[in-house]
Amino acid sequence: EFRRVLFRSGVPEDSRERIFEVFYSKRGGGTGLGLPIAKQIVERHGGTIRLETEEGVGTTFSIRLPRRHERPAASAEPMTDA
């Protein structure tokens, strides 16, 4: 398990459900792409990403990845150049 602790004011309650949505950002200058992309990568490797937050205290993101991840079977169709 990997944990990243951010010592900021925490994520407001009204943003917690949306924080992993593409293009959602309450940060000035944020694109809203970082967390959705991180979540997609983690989930494609069979893992989970979780957020623990307390307003006025800070936020911790936890990433869990399995030791081994079974990849989907390769397609029987050959790859072609398009």
Side-chain angles (χ1 to χ4, degrees), residues 2-82:
F2 171 78
R3 289 178 174 245
R4 167 78 172 151
V5 180
L6 303 174
F7 297 103
R8 288 202 239 164
S9 58
V11 178
E13 193 168 342
D14 63 336
S15 295
R16 293 176 193 167
E17 293 295 319
R18 301 191 61 203
I19 199 164
F20 293 106
E21 289 180 16
V22 176
F23 300 123
Y24 180 79
S25 177
K26 290 264 188 163
R27 276 186 9 181
T31 62
L33 293 174
L35 288 173
I37 290 171
K39 183 177 187 220
Q40 186 179 54
I41 291 168
V42 168
E43 289 178 347
R44 285 188 176 179
H45 285 86
T48 58
I49 185 168
R50 186 176 50 133
L51 126 105
E52 297 171 34
T53 188
E54 186 175 341
E55 285 190 72
V57 176
T59 303
T60 301
F61 288 92
S62 301
I63 296 173
R64 289 187 151 224
L65 294 170
R67 290 183 188 268
R68 294 184 134 203
H69 176 66
E70 298 297 323
R71 293 185 182 190
S75 173
E77 297 179 28
M79 295 179 67
T80 59
D81 293 330

